[in-house]
Amino acid sequence: IIHSNLTIGNVLLDDNCEPLINCFGYSNFDKCIISNDVQIDGVNYNIPIEFVLSLSPERIDGDCPIFESDVFSYGIFVYLMFLPMKTMLMKGIFRIINQIISEKRYARPNNIPDEYWELIQYCWRQSPNDRPSFEEITQLLRDDIFALEEFGVETDLDQLHEYQNRIDED
């Protein structure tokens, strides 16, 4: 299924802190993000920055969304996991769009581990054909090197493997 609006605001957590992807527009996240008023053909639009950030080059060019477009958006999603939105300096929607089209990407924050940075860059490739599939991403993320230490607490690998096995059964 092509989501075509995969943003950090469309991923919610359930009671078990497991992700749920929704398609109901923006969640409460849009109330705390930067947005720009844009005028296109005389019509004013208020476009959330997170939506613009997640646009792939082919979507900007007006092509229909494809699976690989969601992969690009997923790369932005992972990037934003390590960088709070409020720390991003925005210089306007059209500048962001021009950056994406001209193959410029965002700077690497210091707290992104190498393996995550490599995955993000893989997802951000300009050509959709050069991006990984979600099957490839899923296989990559099963590697224990992607287990994070957060707030000084290491990931319990036994619990992680149990979770991975459980979602494989679903």
Side-chain angles (χ1 to χ4, degrees), residues 23 34 37 41-42 54 66 69 72 87 89 91-92 95 104 106 112 114 132 137-138 144 147-148 150 156 167 170:
C23 296
I34 302 166
D37 288 317
D41 296 331
S54 66
I66 54 177
S69 303
F72 186 93
T87 65
L89 299 175
K91 298 181 178 167
R95 189 167 197 182
K104 294 179 183 168
Y106 308 105
I112 294 182
D114 292 340
I137 293 169
T138 301
D144 288 348
L148 294 173
E150 196 168 27
D156 182 322
I167 62 173
D170 291 342

Side-chain angles (χ1 to χ4, degrees), residues 53 64 97 107 111 114 128:
L53 288 173
C64 290
I97 289 171
N111 64 331
D114 292 340

Side-chain angles (χ1 to χ4, degrees):
I1 297 172
I2 299 172
H3 190 282
S4 81
N5 190 18
L6 185 62
T7 65
I8 203 162
N10 284 330
V11 179
L12 307 174
L13 298 178
D14 68 11
D15 293 338
N16 297 319
C17 291
E18 294 179 7
L20 298 171
I21 299 174
N22 75 58
C23 296
F24 306 114
Y26 295 95
S27 68
N28 290 334
F29 185 77
D30 68 333
K31 293 180 178 72
C32 63
I33 64 169
I34 302 166
S35 61
N36 289 337
D37 288 317
V38 176
Q39 191 173 67
I40 302 171
D41 296 331
V43 178
N44 286 325
Y45 295 92
N46 186 271
I47 303 174
I49 291 294
E50 66 151 313
F51 176 74
V52 176
L53 288 173
S54 66
L55 287 175
S56 63
E58 61 276 6
R59 297 259 339 262
I60 292 170
D61 286 340
D63 294 341
C64 290
I66 54 177
F67 291 110
E68 293 83 0
S69 303
D70 282 346
V71 168
F72 186 93
S73 298
Y74 178 75
I76 297 294
F77 179 92
V78 174
Y79 181 76
L80 292 175
M81 286 175 32
F82 293 96
L83 181 73
M85 182 71 81
K86 64 184 178 183
T87 65
M88 295 189 76
L89 299 175
M90 296 300 149
K91 298 181 178 167
I93 288 174
F94 294 111
R95 189 167 197 182
I96 294 168
I97 289 171
N98 286 333
Q99 272 190 288
I100 293 169
I101 291 171
S102 64
E103 300 187 40
K104 294 179 183 168
R105 300 296 183 257
Y106 308 105
R108 178 183 180 174
N110 294 334
N111 64 331
I112 294 182
D114 292 340
E115 50 277 353
Y116 276 93
W117 185 242
E118 289 171 19
L119 174 62
I120 290 166
Q121 291 181 307
Y122 193 15
C123 293
W124 283 354
R125 290 190 176 167
Q126 193 74 5
S127 171
N129 295 330
D130 293 338
R131 297 178 201 145
S133 68
F134 277 112
E135 280 185 27
E136 289 176 83
I137 293 169
T138 301
Q139 288 307 310
L140 285 170
L141 291 174
R142 290 184 74 82
D143 192 314
D144 288 348
I145 64 170
F146 284 94
L148 294 173
E149 179 180 313
E150 196 168 27
F151 306 112
V153 178
E154 289 186 26
T155 299
D156 182 322
L157 293 179
D158 291 332
Q159 284 184 341
L160 174 63
H161 296 153
E162 183 274 323
Y163 173 73
Q164 290 169 335
N165 292 334
R166 187 164 30 95
I167 62 173
D168 282 344
E169 293 170 2
D170 291 342

